[in-house]
């Protein structure tokens, strides 16, 4: 931040806003170039502590910011000019809202008198994202006035607080500016007396050592149940013999890994861990993490007893098999959600607990440890009944069988599931792994074996779009030094091809696994496959694109592999090297689907 | 449309909707693949009369539909699945709203009980586009019931009517479907008795020859002034000596060319024709069409008398020089707008006339012809005063001088204005010419000399984004057999690169002129140029992309030219040949901008 006096009110205004964002912990910003946003862009660019990621396509910029926030838990503000630029943020804003990712959108706007006046590049930006934002504010016109500047500083703190609240999500500040937009000297525009007359508004707050502190420090409480409510839950847990802990999608493990492991240890209940839950990977071996359920639950449904209690965390699981399994049981089902969201579309849950998941899990675990009849805090399976032990072992045995089938099947022929199986096994520890909708996340769900490796697996499952997969991955990759693995399909690769520009412009290295089945392979899983036409032309939509030129266009190494072995060696080489490599695996969607079904049949046979 | 009975209610519902759209004149549809939209996709695909354009990126799909509608005046419906797909339409929806282009968005949705339930790919699609649509309706759940089917047929008619009303614009129908989405037989779902019990709902209406007719035929009146109001305008026109007719942007000439020519003939007033007005090109030589004003009005402002009357049509002119010129005069300024829009952001207009421009122009012209003192209907300049004649000749002389300067300057060195000058001169007759924001449209404004050739020049000046230029152009090109010329910049080319897929998938041939100045050349026109950093990194944003690989990627011929002569021969070869050619003209934005200013200086000298 420049120490020189602001040459005009717009510079002052934008610097003040940026100063507060920095004070509140913002470390980076995504900026798409434009004229109206000049004061913001200049203020961010001249700030020494804030890293600027410059993007040319606002849609990709917003998904990049989304990815960074998924990985860091903190918003990376977005800046754009007036007009449809702001509308290009909309898909990512919706994804952020639905998947509860902090985001701060700063849209520059024309001054109020030019709205709906026919002025150029002027649209109605007010409440542009409707109900998809946690908070919206139309900032007042910049003015070097004490109360206004204090309101601006407060607004910055509030915007960040709202975006990281419960649940986190997008916040939209619409920021009008009147010319001059550049930091040109406008004599008298910012009175020299401002610092004396309105010291708080002009300078904000500093610590005693001179460093900046936020104008308003915010502390956000998180919902906790009363002890009597907890006791009721504990009783239900204790009286259950066949409990299941279901960890649905959540960008950061929720509950935290240790807390969920304690819960599992205290109850003896296995954990059904969605690939996006943060629990499929990263748990120590003794924690009963299950990952194959999508492949075998359908086969065992009849022959096994039903669960009698389910505790669900996170969003609705990716696995339709699991959702149906839960729907079919008449177990008591607790949904634990800090935001009190009713994210359970089978409508069979019996209890909604609006409570912080980590604290909830810890309180259950510690309460059971101290109150359990066995009474030993060091007894990891707490007050576990023999039936619970056999229930857990039943799952453990099914997993063993299942993974044996999968690992043998993937050697037989190249199919999409085998690629995800290999990615899960071979991804470096630690790594960030971004998986696309629609098939990669499903294949990782079914074929990604749990590992202790610290993999942060991310996906856009809020709205399950394929519109910003590459950018989300690269944004997540930009946030840490962990190697980045991006697994995408050919349609998602095409949809967000512009996002590849971030490889060079934002300096992100990645291993991009592009599974190319020339169109929408997922449609082979749907009944429309039987109706051709229009199946091929309107659903599978083969495009015939040869993506090799995208290597030249974006400065990537592009390699094609035709079998699993070459894939694995290309993958290994890539994750160990600098730069970005695209490894294209050409698959046949139909054959992959058939083989996926065949593996399912083998599993069923084996389990019978 | 299949004649077989609908196998289930979704098929019935979608067929009914498509049947009515066809009956009301819809000829094509843009579909992005997805599952939830299956009933609509199947119904459109099986309809024998409707052409399906299949797109993979919804953002490009929507701009393609926008372009078609710009060229045809009729909406090309858009179909997408549930989720963020719909949000990707948003930029084009805003552009359609602001530039008054008919559009019909059909978003498939989950059934109501799954909204906000955590169900996959389910977002809040209700009123997703806010105030940017002329009409929004959330369709009821499909049901084979007479009244519901009549409501659906009526809704189809109404949606088209609203989208082509005054002003035209986007309409959004949100269409929920519950599984099964495919045309699978569901016994009893559509009762066999439906045709007997609800014949009107089930079958709609047919003409006596058996052909379909719309369920509701709509006729839309357009606003006309009362004769007394017209008389008052005529009096003002007759008493003016130095009138100007300003034709601002409008996709189809508004008023129609003949009507405006009559108006000019009857008054003797020259026409300042925006390149996007439909009047810069296509008028016969005797009509006083001016196109160089952006280049010379600044130079003559002081030495010429002011206009005393201005009649403005269309949106606000592209030329800032013209807007300032009008703002500085104290002429009486009539805004003629059929929708009563107040599209005049200098706030100096004195009269708003909400009237159909063509009828208004005709009534002025014929009223003057018959009431003028000279009294001869064949006297093309009506009751023109000597001062009016000299006023018009003053402009004509300035034009002559101006174009001489331009045409000599463009031979001296390659600059961006020279390219647009050549495009305007060399474009085939007829042709569709799409010009991008931000510099191409400004350069065409300044350097595109009026011609009698029937050029339909289009631009996205509603919100002036660069996000969908290629798709808009290709959509416009798909609507007629006219050769398509697309003039774009390197940033717009990058932003909508996905749109190039339509060349192959939608079978559109084009001549793409890509002016590559490696970034945002327009920023050289703004004061931010003086501040570097951050000028280069955050505003001009050179990307260094080599676009040659896009030729291989999308099956285009890619050619680079380095001087005007090679450009002109490449351009000529391209417009005469099949396939799509990208002609890249590498320019230096700064030098182009300096030379643009130098040409301005020469004009000023000459006019003094």
């Amino acid at each position: 931040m420049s120490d020189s006096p602001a040459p005009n009110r717009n510079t002052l205004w934008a610097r003040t806003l940026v100063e507060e964002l920095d004070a509140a912990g913002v470390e980076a910003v995504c900026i798409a170039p434009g004229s109206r946003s000049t004061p913001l862009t200049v203020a961010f660019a001249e700030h020494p502590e804030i890293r600027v990621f410059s993007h040319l396509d606002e849609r990709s910029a917003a998904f990049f910011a989304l990815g960074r926030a998924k990985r860091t838990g903190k918003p990376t503000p977005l800046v754009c000019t007036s007009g449809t630029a702001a509308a290009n943020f909309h898909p990512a804003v919706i994804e952020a809202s639905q998947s509860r990712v902090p985001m701060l959108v700063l849209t520059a706007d024309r001054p109020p008198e030019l709205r709906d006046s026919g002025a150029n590049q002027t649209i109605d930006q007010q409440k542009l994202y409707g109900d998809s934002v946690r908070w919206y504010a139309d900032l007042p016109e910049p003015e070097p006035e004490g109360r206004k500047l204090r309101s601006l500083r407060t607004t910055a703190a509030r915007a960040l607080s709202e975006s990281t609240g419960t649940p986190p999500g997008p916040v939209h500040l619409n920021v009008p500016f009147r010319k001059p937009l550049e930091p040109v000297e406008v004599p008298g525009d910012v009175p020299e007396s401002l610092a004396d007359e309105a010291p708080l508004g002009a300078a904000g707050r500093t610590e005693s050592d001179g460093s900046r502190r936020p104008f308003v420090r915010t502390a956000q409480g998180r919902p906790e149940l009363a002890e009597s409510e907890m006791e009721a839950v504990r009783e239900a847990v204790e009286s259950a013999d066949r409990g299941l802990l279901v960890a649905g999608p959540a960008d950061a493990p929720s509950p935290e890994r240790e807390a969920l492991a304690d819960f599992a240890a205290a109850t003896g209940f296995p954990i059904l861990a969605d690939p996006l839950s943060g629990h499929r990977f990263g748990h120590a071996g003794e924690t009963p993490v299950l990952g194959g359920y999508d492949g075998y639950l359908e086969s065992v449904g009849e022959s096994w007893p039903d669960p009698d209690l389910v505790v669900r965390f996170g969003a609705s699981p990716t696995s339709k098999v699991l959702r149906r399994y839960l729907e079919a049981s008449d177990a008591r089902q607790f949904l634990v959600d800090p935001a009190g969201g009713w994210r359970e579309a089978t409508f069979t849950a019996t209890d909604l607990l609006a409570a912080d998941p980590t604290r909830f899990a810890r309180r259950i675990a510690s309460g059971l440890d101290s109150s359990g009849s066995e009474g030993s805090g060091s007894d990891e399976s707490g007050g576990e009944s023999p039936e619970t032990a056999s229930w857990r072992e039943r799952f453990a045995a099914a997993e063993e069988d299942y993974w044996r089938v999968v690992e043998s099947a993937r050697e037989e022929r190249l199919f999409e599931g085998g690629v995800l199986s290999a990615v899960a096994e071979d991804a470096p520890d630690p790594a960030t792994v971004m998986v696309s909708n629609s098939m990669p996340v499903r294949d990782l769900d079914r074929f990604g074996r749990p590992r202790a490796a610290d993999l942060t697996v991310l996906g856009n499952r809020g709205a399950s779009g394929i519109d910003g997969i590459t950018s989300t991955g690269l944004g997540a990759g930009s946030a840490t030094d962990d190697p980045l693995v991006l697994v995408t399909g050919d349609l998602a690769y095409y949809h967000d091809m512009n996002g590849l520009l971030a490889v060079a412009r934002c300096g992100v290295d990645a291993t991009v696994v592009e599974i190319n089945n020339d169109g929408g392979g997922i449609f082979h899983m749907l009944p429309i496959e039987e109706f051709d036409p229009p199946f091929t032309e309107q659903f599978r939509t083969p495009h015939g694109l040869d993506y090799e030129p995208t290597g030249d266009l974006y400065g990537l190494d592009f390699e094609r592999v035709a079998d699993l072995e070459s894939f694995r060696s290309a993958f290994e080489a890539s994750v160990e090297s600098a730069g970005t490599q695209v490894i294209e695996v050409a698959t046949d969607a139909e054959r992959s689907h058939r083989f996926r079904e065949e593996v399912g049949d083998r599993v069923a046979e084996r389990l019978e």
Side-chain angles (χ1 to χ4, degrees), chain A residues 349-373:
Chain A
T350 56
D351 295 76
L352 177 86
L353 307 178
D356 179 77
T358 297
R359 293 186 200 166
F360 170 83
R362 282 195 188 126
R363 287 174 73 189
I364 289 278
S366 63
L368 291 180
D369 285 352
S370 58
S371 66
S373 50

Side-chain angles (χ1 to χ4, degrees), chain A residues 410-411 413-428 433 435 444 485-488 511-516 559-576 581-587:
Chain A
R410 79 177 179 201
E411 302 304 323
R413 67 178 67 172
L414 182 69
F415 79 115
E416 294 166 11
V419 175
L420 271 297
S421 165
V423 167
E425 189 171 320
D426 299 345
V433 181
V435 283
L444 183 65
V485 174
L486 166 63
V487 186
T488 188
T511 297
V512 181
V513 179
E514 181 246 318
I515 299 175
N516 192 337
E559 182 177 358
R560 283 203 179 90
V561 297
D563 56 59
L564 192 69
E565 199 182 343
S566 357
F567 169 73
R568 295 183 83 162
S569 57
F571 184 83
E572 191 188 345
S574 172
V575 296
E576 285 172 359
Q581 297 77 36
V582 179
I583 307 170
E584 180 176 82
V585 192
T587 62

Side-chain angles (χ1 to χ4, degrees), chain A residues 215-264:
Chain A
F215 192 71
V216 185
R217 282 179 285 211
T218 58
Q220 292 175 331
R222 281 169 290 164
E224 286 207 64
L225 301 185
E227 187 48 35
S228 59
E229 292 163 327
M230 284 301 299
E231 203 45 54
V233 180
R234 269 189 219 108
E235 274 166 31
V237 168
E238 281 181 307
S239 64
D241 291 317
R242 297 178 308 282
L244 289 177
L245 307 182
V246 176
D251 292 311
S254 170
E256 290 168 13
R257 282 181 189 151
E258 201 187 312
L260 188 62
D262 288 350
F263 193 170

